[in-house]
Amino acid sequence: MHPGPDTHLSPPAVRTRSLRLAYEAFHALHHAHYLAFARARLDDDRAHAAVTAAFTALLASWPAVMSSLVPASRAWALLSDQIRSREGRCPSPPKGDRPVGGRSAQGPPAGEPPEDPPSEGPLCGSPSAEDPLAEDLRTLAALGYSAERSASLTGLPLGKVRYLTARTDATP
């Protein structure tokens, strides 16, 4: 059996190289789409800043992202939060953490003062606040993305994309 090109590397070095290559492939496949999405919601400078910040955060947590069940979902959450932050709106809450009255149901970490709600857009958790995923999917649809491609980009199951899209389309 002929040894592969990485047989001279130690297992941690192979893992590091594999993770780096996976990140580079993810970046190459998603960057243009993420930027198009960000530009649909922000001016060009803030769109570039949001995408750069999202990919920087993604790289910093890449091993954890790759070990998650749906890496694309984790990456999309980072992008969406960066965009919402630059829009002056609430980031999406982590799973299991529902916003209440403009703040996390869990409150701020011990010893930190509570954050003020954003000055623009609806308050976090207010009845007028649109479902962030539905809003993202509506933006992707307006950009011409199919439900299948939107599911791939956001890491959502196709059925959930179709449900949220149909629910958003039915809302006056």
Side-chain angles (χ1 to χ4, degrees):
M1 181 163 141
H2 186 272
D6 291 334
T7 56
H8 66 283
L9 299 174
S10 67
V14 170
R15 178 168 162 69
T16 300
R17 183 170 183 258
S18 295
L19 283 170
R20 181 180 51 80
L21 291 173
Y23 172 81
E24 289 172 1
F26 187 92
H27 186 279
L29 290 171
H30 291 82
H31 185 270
H33 302 289
Y34 281 19
L35 188 56
F37 175 79
R39 284 179 171 154
R41 304 267 293 269
L42 301 167
D43 63 68
D44 199 50
D45 289 341
R46 289 188 307 156
H48 276 280
V51 171
T52 298
F55 274 108
T56 299
L58 185 62
L59 179 59
S61 61
W62 190 246
V65 169
M66 286 304 294
S67 65
S68 69
L69 291 175
V70 186
S73 177
R74 301 260 313 255
W76 187 263
L78 290 170
L79 174 67
S80 187
D81 287 350
Q82 288 295 326
I83 290 170
R84 283 184 201 349
S85 172
R86 282 164 176 76
E87 289 175 326
R89 297 171 60 200
C90 298
S92 303
K95 286 186 178 182
D97 185 16
R98 301 252 185 239
V100 177
R103 293 196 176 85
S104 163
Q106 295 175 350
E112 289 187 23
E115 295 179 18
D116 292 328
S119 58
E120 299 175 28
L123 290 176
C124 300
S126 72
S128 63
E130 183 177 4
D131 178 347
L133 287 174
E135 184 179 12
D136 290 352
L137 293 170
R138 190 177 66 241
T139 301
L140 288 169
L143 291 170
Y145 287 93
S146 67
E148 291 80 4
R149 187 64 180 132
S150 293
S152 175
L153 284 171
T154 62
L156 293 171
L158 181 57
K160 185 168 186 172
V161 169
R162 288 183 173 145
Y163 168 77
L164 289 173
T165 303
R167 190 180 78 186
T168 301
D169 289 345
T171 305

